Every structure is written in C-alpha cells, then in structure tokens.
Amino acid sequence: MVGGGQLARMTHEAGIPLGIRFKLLSDTPQDSAAQVVNDVVVGDYRDLDTLREFARGCDVITFDHEHVPTEHLRALEADGIPVRPGPDALVHAHDKGVMRARLDAIGVPCPRHRIVSDPADAVAFAAEAGGFPVILKTVRGGYDGKGVWVVRSEDEAAEPFRAGVPVLAEEKVDFVRELAANVVRSPSGQAVSYPVVESQQVNGVCDTVIAPAPNLPEELAGQAQELALRIAEELGVVGHLAVELFETADGRILVNELAMRPHNSGHWTQDGAMTSQFANHVRAVLDLPLGDPRPRVKWTVMANVLGGDYPDMYQGYLHCMARDPQLKIHMYGKDVKPGRKVGHVNTYGDDLDDVRERARHAADYLRGTITE
Amino acid sequence: MVGGGQLARMTHEAGIPLGIRFKLLSDTPQDSAAQVVNDVVVGDYRDLDTLREFARGCDVITFDHEHVPTEHLRALEADGIPVRPGPDALVHAHDKGVMRARLDAIGVPCPRHRIVSDPADAVAFAAEAGGFPVILKTVRGGYDGKGVWVVRSEDEAAEPFRAGVPVLAEEKVDFVRELAANVVRSPSGQAVSYPVVESQQVNGVCDTVIAPAPNLPEELAGQAQELALRIAEELGVVGHLAVELFETADGRILVNELAMRPHNSGHWTQDGAMTSQFANHVRAVLDLPLGDPRPRVKWTVMANVLGGDYPDMYQGYLHCMARDPQLKIHMYGKDVKPGRKVGHVNTYGDDLDDVRERARHAADYLRGTITE
C-alpha cells in the first residue's frame, strides 16, 4: 500500500485476519500506518525509482491516497505489477476536471461546472450559474477543504489560480444535507453497496456520519446506490469507491466528490457492518469474493476526533471507556495538532438519539472541548 | 508482549485502534505475530538478559504463553516493570501442581488429584480414584494435549516421568461435555465475564466452540461465571483468564485447566461479542476500563482450521468467501503443517444449526478434508 496514513493503518488491521503480507511505502517511519506494519519502506511516492523498488515482489499495489502521479502508475503496470484501482480509474479521483468531464459523459447528475481560465472567467461562470457565491477548486491536490474556495467576487477569485493548477468552477448547490454512497468493486466485476449514509461536515472537514442516513426516502437511497455502482463500473474502479453527494431541497442527488480508497464516510462499517470497508477493499484488491456489506445493527454513528489542546488523549480513555463500555475508539497514533483528524469513535444501537449522543460526547471529550 | 504466536498477532490487531505502541519479543522473525508488528525483538524469552533488554522502555509486559520462568518475571518486577498478569498469578498457569493446590485451598471443585512420585504411586492413586484409566500430566510445559497421558496400567504410567518434571495424577472425569468460562480482570479489580461456551475437543485439541453453550441451565452458567470471577480475584489475575471446565453427568462443574492470556475458547468474541477478548486483555493490561463482554448476536460458532495437505490455503478463500459472504476468516500466517492450528473461522446468526454448519464447512474446506 502506498501512503502511511490512517487508511493504510486500518487496512493493515483488516488484512491481518486474512494472513496476507502487508508492505507499506511511507513518507516517514512515524506515519500512522508505519507504526503498526512490519514491512515498511520509507520513501517518496513521487519518485518513480522508489515506487519501482517498493513494488518489486508485491502481488498487487493499492493506495492510501490519490496523489501518486498517473504516469508512475502506468509505469508500474508496464512493469507487470497489478495496480488497483488502476490509473485509468484513479485519474478521476486525482483530477477533478477529468472526473467532471467523465461524469457528464455518462450522464451522472453533478453541480453546474466548468474549467475557468482566470478570475474574470470565474465571474463569467458565476453569471451563467445564477450568481455568486460559486465554488472554485484546484483540479488536483485538494482534500478536507484544502484546495476549495467559496468565492463571492472577482477579487476573491484570484487566490485559487496562484497554485498554477487548472481551476474548476462549480455552482454552490443549495443542499439540505450531504450523503455518501460507498461501494466496493472487484476486478471480476462483483460489487457490493453499503447503506447510504448522512455525512455532516464542519469547516469542510467530515465531522459525523450517520448510517443509514435518517429519513432518506427509499427511492433516493436506491438511486444513490445505483449511481455509485454505475460510476464504479463505468470508471473501472477496483476497491472501495466513496461517492459524496448533495441532497437538494427539491429531492435530487448530485455528485460532489469521488474517492477511490477507503473513506471517512465508511469508517462506521468497522463496527456497524457485517464486513468493513477496509476488509472489502483488501478482498477486492486481491480479487477475492466480497463480504456482506449489510449493517449489523439499526443505527451506527461515527464521529471524528480532532486534535485539541491536550497533547495526550490517553487520559480521555479512562472517562470515555468507563462512561460507555460499548464505545469503539479508533485512534491513529498521530501527534495531536489542533484541528487534525487524530481518530474517530463509533457507537451503535437501536435508539438513534442515544447512539448520536454517545458518539458526540466521546469525540468532544477526547478532543478536550468538554470535561465531563 | 512476550511470544510471537497467534495470540500476540490478534492482540496487536486489537490494540491498533487504541493507538498503542506494541513491542514484541519473538523467537523468530517469521513467527505469526512478528509478521504484522512493527517493533519486533527476536530473542529467547528464557534468557533473563534478553527479557530485560526487551522490557526497557515498555510501560507494561504481557504474554502470549505461560512459559516464561517465574523467577524471570520477578526480576522484571524488581526492575520496576509492571508484569501483567504478575508472577504470583501466572505461576498457577505455569505449574499445574501449584494450580491444583491453590484451587483446593479456595474451595474450587476440581477432579480428584495428587502429585504422584513414580508409576507405582500412579497405580496407588488409581486405586484411590476408582481405578484406571487415570490422567497423568507433567506439571509444566504442556498444551494442546501435549504433556497429558491417559494411562491404563503401571507400564503406561512410565512415560510421563521421563521428562524429569513432577507428575500430577487426576481422575478421568466422566464428563458430558467441556465448557469454558472466560473473564477479564483489571489491576483495579474491575472484571467482566463472557457467556459460558461449549468447547469441543478432537484429539486433545480445541476444535469447535459454541457461544453460548447450548442448553446450559442458567444456574450452572451462573456458577461457572462466578467460579471464574472468584479464581481471577483470588489468584490476582490481570488480563484474560480462561477457565476450562468439565460438565458432569450429575450436573456439576469441575475445573480442568486455567490459562492466563487470550484463549482459543474466546476467539468467537472477535466477531460475536461487543468487545473481543483481545481488546479487553489489552484494556486490562493497560489498566483501562473494560469493554462490554455481551454477545452481539444469538449464536456464534468458532471452528479451528488445522493444517491439512494443502501447503497454500489461499485458494480455499475463493470458495469459502463466495459460499458465505458473512464468514469471518482469521488466519495466522503460519506455514501449513498437518494438524497444526493455522487459523480459525467465526460464523454467527440466529439459527444454531445453520451457524454451526457454515463454520464446520469452512474449517473443513480450508483444511482440505472436503472439496465442495
């Protein structure tokens, strides 16, 4: 697996029961996954020689993030190493411009959008899309709200162009909430679909996920699942695909983002589903039959733990574990920095209010924003 | 953790979500746990200098097996390293003679037993205990049927004495089945009790575990749980304690063996309980509040996968995963040798016959004793 973040950490955890040998390419020996994996290579994934050396002896390569240059992936494939998801799929997660063009071509509903050439062109787009504000995104390199701007004027539109990366303009959708449809697809074409979840963002960062999305009409849930399965097939995705969606006031769903790897909106599956997204990602990448994606319980809530003022969150365990013996804590071994995702908690049960309160309490307590 | 077997492997897996740093002392770099842990020291646990060097910088030491000499554990404690379970508890799992004497002293029902000095003394014991056959056990070093003999004559009684280790004689109990009561206890004295399970042995090796034990009268289940909690407290156990029990035809329970570490009879908890035995062992050893031990589902069945004629069991995954998308496979990364425990499977659901059939099928298929 290329990339030593928490997704690699949790994928390794899910791979242990399958008896597989997990090899990691990590930026540093301190990265989240590098702490818990035996076979770690420290190196730069942007360097083709490093990637090639790492890939030697691997049966298959997969990814913790979408930042490996597409041409490097093609080089690995030319060397005979299976890359899953492959570069032809992954380019859609790597480049938002390519993604939008492809979704248009296969008729998937998206916010209005086009590539804009400069701040003046962004103003022109705003006029076409019903006025400011509009969303500007660099087509590559963004995540967790980085590389995304809400722009209200030509002046504000200057910043996104400074990186020298093409800029995509999108209408600011008047959504009632955000949803995510998670699916996993194997090289043989088998695919499974998790229940559609509600994803609540704070400052552009995923904060809480409720599985399944409460009060989602069955028809809309079915549409979202079909959409995700269709995108996975049309784009040739292998492994986990997260489709982030807007639910609009008038009952439509529009595709916001794609991620081709285990995703924050699927963390609830570790404790709430028959088979976790990480286990199914491993199975897909190894071309093994996929596991049952259905929930084990009526409601599961995931809440992210962000870094707060406490450098050490161990003390928080004492309170949280004693308060809620069913709480599931997933920490990433990261140094605590304010606002950084350092872990998440899962809670589950039959009563959504109770399940949500327990997750919220634990996440807030571990962050240090509450003290009782 | 001292010892690189599958128990350490699965304890590491359970510790990853807590963000702890797991350090392993392993006999070889190829041991089951050594394959999946980052911080591995290869060395001999019987050598005190090796143990001391390993323990430096550890917050606490725990164990994959009971074979570390008691005097070494005392030396580590004298160095100021917390050892959990401690030597005063662990000696009861290390030495069956000490265990029986202690259980007698606290009034725990056991099979009739005494230390015998030679084959003639074994004959005398048989006369006291109602005749042959009797069970002879070396007090140290046995596991999985090793170090245990069913003896029918003075001649047969010679073998157990050859190791030069004291020999314990026990009556051969006329049991209707074997049960196990698993509990976890923390240094502060908090303890949790898992449901009592039925454990089916084949050739002295655990084969199948059914959780909870079917048709076990509630009163007997309560007795078994209380017994295990009492033993944990009286012996000062910290961490997981498995109490293996005989259920007799006349409705009594007798203690067969003790294990002070995660145990084969608790593997079902990985997929069938709110908190697995491995997660609770880690929490106890770190003096964290314990997790809910209750089952998540009506029935869970665990079946061990023994090595068969197939050197590679990966091909079996294709069949087993496709047949049963809810099957939980736990392989240990061990080389396949006939009869060796190389993994286990868990299945769960509401219908015991179905759950049992699925586990049995998968374990047999992965071993290679059935081919469809």
Side-chain angles (χ1 to χ4, degrees):
Chain A
M1 195 162 198
V2 176
Q6 65 263 29
L7 301 176
R9 182 184 178 99
M10 294 185 279
T11 302
H12 171 55
E13 182 192 340
I16 290 175
L18 293 183
I20 60 167
R21 298 292 188 111
F22 191 92
K23 187 175 175 183
L24 185 74
L25 179 62
S26 181
D27 288 347
T28 81
Q30 287 78 41
D31 280 18
S32 178
Q35 297 169 20
V36 298
V37 170
N38 183 266
D39 192 358
V40 180
V41 174
V42 174
D44 185 348
Y45 62 83
R46 291 164 300 193
D47 178 65
L48 181 55
D49 289 340
T50 300
L51 271 178
R52 278 193 156 129
E53 178 62 26
F54 169 74
R56 197 175 300 162
C58 288
D59 293 311
V60 56
I61 301 280
T62 191
F63 309 93
D64 171 84
H65 58 66
E66 289 105 350
H67 306 316
V68 181
T70 305
E71 61 273 22
H72 289 4
L73 303 179
R74 294 202 196 284
L76 292 181
E77 281 198 326
D79 291 347
I81 309 284
V83 173
R84 293 174 183 157
D88 291 338
L90 212 48
V91 66
H92 300 93
H94 188 71
D95 187 308
K96 296 182 208 295
V98 175
M99 181 264 282
R100 285 293 179 221
R102 179 77 175 139
L103 294 186
D104 285 348
I106 61 173
V108 166
C110 293
R112 274 182 291 186
H113 61 88
R114 70 173 171 82
I115 298 288
V116 289
S117 53
D118 55 34
D121 196 19
V123 174
F125 173 79
E128 296 158 26
F132 282 113
V134 296
I135 311 293
L136 298 187
K137 299 175 174 176
T138 53
V139 296
R140 287 189 296 276
Y143 66 98
D144 278 354
K146 293 180 182 69
V148 177
W149 293 262
V150 181
V151 166
R152 290 181 176 76
S153 68
E154 184 167 349
D155 275 2
E156 287 181 14
E159 179 65 21
F161 291 92
R162 287 196 182 119
V165 173
V167 172
L168 179 72
E170 298 185 350
E171 69 170 313
K172 187 167 187 306
V173 174
D174 181 26
F175 61 86
V176 290
R177 61 174 166 177
E178 294 186 62
L179 304 172
N182 286 290
V183 297
V184 184
R185 183 174 177 273
S186 73
S188 63
Q190 189 196 11
V192 293
S193 171
Y194 287 98
V196 176
V197 299
E198 176 174 336
S199 170
Q200 299 170 344
Q201 321 281 319
V202 173
N203 301 326
V205 178
C206 177
D207 181 73
T208 307
V209 169
I210 305 172
N215 304 313
L216 183 66
E218 213 172 296
E219 199 194 313
L220 217 54
Q223 272 179 35
Q225 289 187 307
E226 279 170 33
L227 207 62
L229 288 168
R230 187 148 68 84
I231 292 170
E233 189 183 342
E234 292 276 3
L235 273 52
V237 176
V238 171
H240 190 266
L241 170 71
V243 181
E244 295 184 88
L245 299 159
F246 296 123
E247 181 184 356
T248 66
D250 56 352
R252 292 173 304 138
I253 47 174
L254 303 172
V255 171
N256 181 18
E257 303 274 3
L258 302 183
M260 293 180 193
R261 49 171 171 75
H263 188 254
N264 205 161
S265 65
H267 288 359
W268 70 274
T269 60
Q270 291 175 301
D271 300 297
M274 299 268 192
T275 314
S276 81
Q277 64 167 348
F278 299 103
N280 262 336
H281 184 74
V282 169
R283 287 161 75 147
V285 164
L286 297 177
D287 202 7
L288 289 167
L290 301 178
D292 194 328
R294 283 177 296 175
R296 287 192 72 169
V297 63
K298 191 169 174 190
W299 297 107
T300 306
V301 171
M302 187 290 312
N304 278 327
V305 178
L306 301 184
D309 296 334
Y310 292 178
D312 170 19
M313 283 191 285
Y314 179 86
Q315 288 304 314
Y317 284 9
L318 294 173
H319 171 86
C320 291
M321 289 178 173
R323 182 182 196 263
D324 183 358
Q326 292 180 21
L327 178 70
K328 297 296 178 183
I329 295 176
H330 299 266
M331 299 300 281
Y332 309 152
K334 289 181 169 181
D335 289 337
V336 171
K337 292 179 192 166
R340 185 187 205 190
K341 282 184 197 170
V342 294
H344 67 273
V345 296
N346 285 331
T347 52
Y348 55 81
D350 289 335
D351 176 349
L352 179 55
D353 287 340
D354 172 65
V355 172
R356 192 157 31 186
E357 188 278 331
R358 288 162 48 213
R360 190 69 269 141
H361 178 93
D364 290 344
Y365 194 96
L366 290 171
R367 186 179 187 174
T369 54
I370 59 174
T371 56
E372 65 179 341
Chain B
M1 195 161 198
V2 176
Q6 64 263 28
L7 301 176
R9 182 185 178 99
M10 293 185 280
T11 302
H12 172 55
E13 181 191 340
I16 291 174
L18 293 184
I20 60 166
R21 298 294 186 108
F22 191 92
K23 187 175 174 182
L24 185 75
L25 179 62
S26 180
D27 288 346
T28 81
Q30 287 79 41
D31 280 17
S32 178
Q35 297 169 19
V36 298
V37 170
N38 183 266
D39 192 358
V40 179
V41 174
V42 174
D44 185 348
Y45 62 83
R46 291 165 300 193
D47 179 64
L48 181 56
D49 289 340
T50 301
L51 271 177
R52 278 194 156 129
E53 177 64 27
F54 169 73
R56 198 175 298 164
C58 288
D59 294 312
V60 56
I61 301 280
T62 191
F63 308 93
D64 170 84
H65 56 67
E66 289 105 351
H67 307 316
V68 181
T70 304
E71 62 273 21
H72 289 4
L73 302 180
R74 295 203 196 282
L76 292 180
E77 281 197 329
D79 292 347
I81 309 284
V83 173
R84 294 176 182 155
D88 291 337
L90 213 48
V91 67
H92 301 93
H94 188 71
D95 187 307
K96 294 182 210 294
V98 175
M99 182 265 283
R100 284 291 179 223
R102 179 78 175 137
L103 294 185
D104 285 350
I106 62 174
V108 166
C110 293
R112 275 182 289 186
H113 62 89
R114 69 171 171 86
I115 298 288
V116 289
S117 53
D118 54 34
D121 196 21
V123 173
F125 173 80
E128 298 157 24
F132 284 114
V134 296
I135 310 292
L136 298 187
K137 299 175 174 179
T138 53
V139 296
R140 287 189 297 276
Y143 65 96
D144 278 356
K146 293 180 182 69
V148 177
W149 293 262
V150 180
V151 165
R152 290 182 176 74
S153 68
E154 185 169 348
D155 276 1
E156 286 181 18
E159 178 66 20
F161 291 92
R162 289 199 180 118
V165 174
V167 173
L168 179 71
E170 297 185 350
E171 69 171 313
K172 188 168 187 304
V173 175
D174 181 26
F175 60 86
V176 290
R177 62 175 165 176
E178 294 187 62
L179 304 171
N182 286 288
V183 298
V184 185
R185 184 172 176 276
S186 73
S188 63
Q190 188 196 12
V192 294
S193 171
Y194 288 98
V196 176
V197 299
E198 176 174 335
S199 170
Q200 300 171 344
Q201 320 282 319
V202 174
N203 301 325
V205 178
C206 176
D207 181 73
T208 306
V209 169
I210 304 172
N215 304 314
L216 182 66
E218 214 172 293
E219 200 195 313
L220 217 54
Q223 271 180 34
Q225 289 186 308
E226 278 170 35
L227 206 61
L229 289 167
R230 188 148 68 85
I231 293 170
E233 191 184 341
E234 293 276 3
L235 273 51
V237 176
V238 171
H240 190 266
L241 170 71
V243 180
E244 296 183 89
L245 300 159
F246 296 123
E247 182 185 355
T248 65
D250 55 352
R252 293 173 303 138
I253 47 174
L254 302 173
V255 172
N256 180 18
E257 303 273 3
L258 302 182
M260 293 181 193
R261 49 170 172 75
H263 189 254
N264 205 159
S265 65
H267 288 358
W268 69 275
T269 61
Q270 293 175 301
D271 301 296
M274 299 268 192
T275 313
S276 81
Q277 65 166 348
F278 299 102
N280 263 336
H281 183 74
V282 169
R283 287 162 76 149
V285 164
L286 298 177
D287 201 8
L288 289 167
L290 301 178
D292 194 328
R294 283 177 296 175
R296 289 192 70 170
V297 65
K298 191 169 175 190
W299 296 108
T300 306
V301 171
M302 188 287 316
N304 278 327
V305 178
L306 301 184
D309 296 333
Y310 292 0
D312 170 19
M313 283 192 285
Y314 180 87
Q315 288 303 314
Y317 284 9
L318 295 172
H319 170 86
C320 291
M321 289 178 173
R323 183 182 194 261
D324 183 359
Q326 292 180 20
L327 178 70
K328 299 296 179 183
I329 295 176
H330 299 267
M331 300 300 281
Y332 309 151
K334 290 181 169 182
D335 289 338
V336 172
K337 291 179 192 165
R340 185 187 205 188
K341 281 186 198 170
V342 294
H344 67 272
V345 296
N346 286 332
T347 53
Y348 55 81
D350 290 334
D351 177 349
L352 178 55
D353 288 340
D354 173 65
V355 172
R356 192 159 27 187
E357 187 279 331
R358 287 161 48 214
R360 191 70 268 144
H361 177 94
D364 289 344
Y365 193 96
L366 290 171
R367 185 178 189 175
T369 53
I370 58 173
T371 56
E372 63 179 343

